[in-house]
Amino acid sequence: MENCLFCKIAAKQIPSSIVHEDDDLLVFKDINPAAPVHLLIIPKVHVSTLSDCTPEHAPLLGKMMSLVPKLAADHNIAVTYDEQGQPSRGFKFLINSGPDGGQEVYHLHMHLYGGPRPWRGMRT
Ligand code: AMP
Ligand code: ZN
């Protein structure tokens, strides 16, 4: 997709801070992080928004989401439990879609936020 920022990042035409790459996905650090850990998970193929996904995208979407536990563990934001079973740490996982959803870059991406709060622009 011409003139798509994240297609250019996926093609390495624009540099990014890559933390994971495989045949289908790229994960890189958000350039303007809203939290101590702020990663973007993108498919290498161009899909504009979540509204453009169909059941055919289920394997791709599943691959993106099922990468989150490993990314969270690698960045020390995974949910952990103490001896009483109380959870600590954790993360937020978000897909902005369309203008009302606050989407700025029209190449599907999943945000992964974590680390000590406060986080910019997020109360919960
Ligand atoms: P959204 O509002 O969901 O479309 O989020 C777009 C995100 O892309 C924002 O959090 C931006 O900070 C981030 N972003 C924009 N340009 C770049 C870039 N060149 N490298 C990394 N992240 C970027
Ligand atoms: Zn694109």
Side-chain angles (χ1 to χ4, degrees):
M1 186 79 172
E2 245 177 89
N3 284 328
C4 169
L5 175 63
F6 286 178
C7 280
K8 287 180 179 164
I9 285 178
K12 316 265 176 68
Q13 290 163 3
I14 290 177
S16 66
S17 185
I18 296 170
V19 301
H20 170 92
E21 180 172 14
D22 60 45
D23 288 348
D24 303 312
L25 309 180
L26 194 74
V27 184
F28 52 96
K29 293 183 181 175
D30 196 293
I31 205 165
N32 184 19
V37 176
H38 185 174
L39 305 179
L40 299 174
I41 305 164
I42 67 165
K44 287 185 172 177
V45 295
H46 182 85
V47 182
S48 295
T49 82
L50 188 57
S51 278
D52 298 299
C53 290
T54 65
E56 284 176 15
H57 293 91
L60 183 65
L61 294 169
K63 190 168 179 183
M64 293 171 80
M65 193 161 177
S66 59
L67 188 60
V68 170
K70 180 187 174 344
L71 292 170
D74 287 351
H75 291 83
N76 207 27
I77 60 171
V79 181
T80 56
Y81 300 91
D82 66 17
E83 296 87 51
Q84 281 76 44
Q86 284 299 314
S88 59
R89 299 213 187 102
F91 50 82
K92 186 183 288 291
F93 184 58
L94 186 70
I95 305 174
N96 294 325
S97 304
D100 287 352
Q103 184 172 5
E104 290 172 1
V105 178
Y106 278 75
H107 179 124
L108 177 68
H109 53 280
M110 300 180 171
H111 292 261
L112 180 62
Y113 306 94
R117 284 174 178 259
W119 300 347
R120 179 164 45 83
M122 275 180 273
R123 283 180 295 137
T124 59

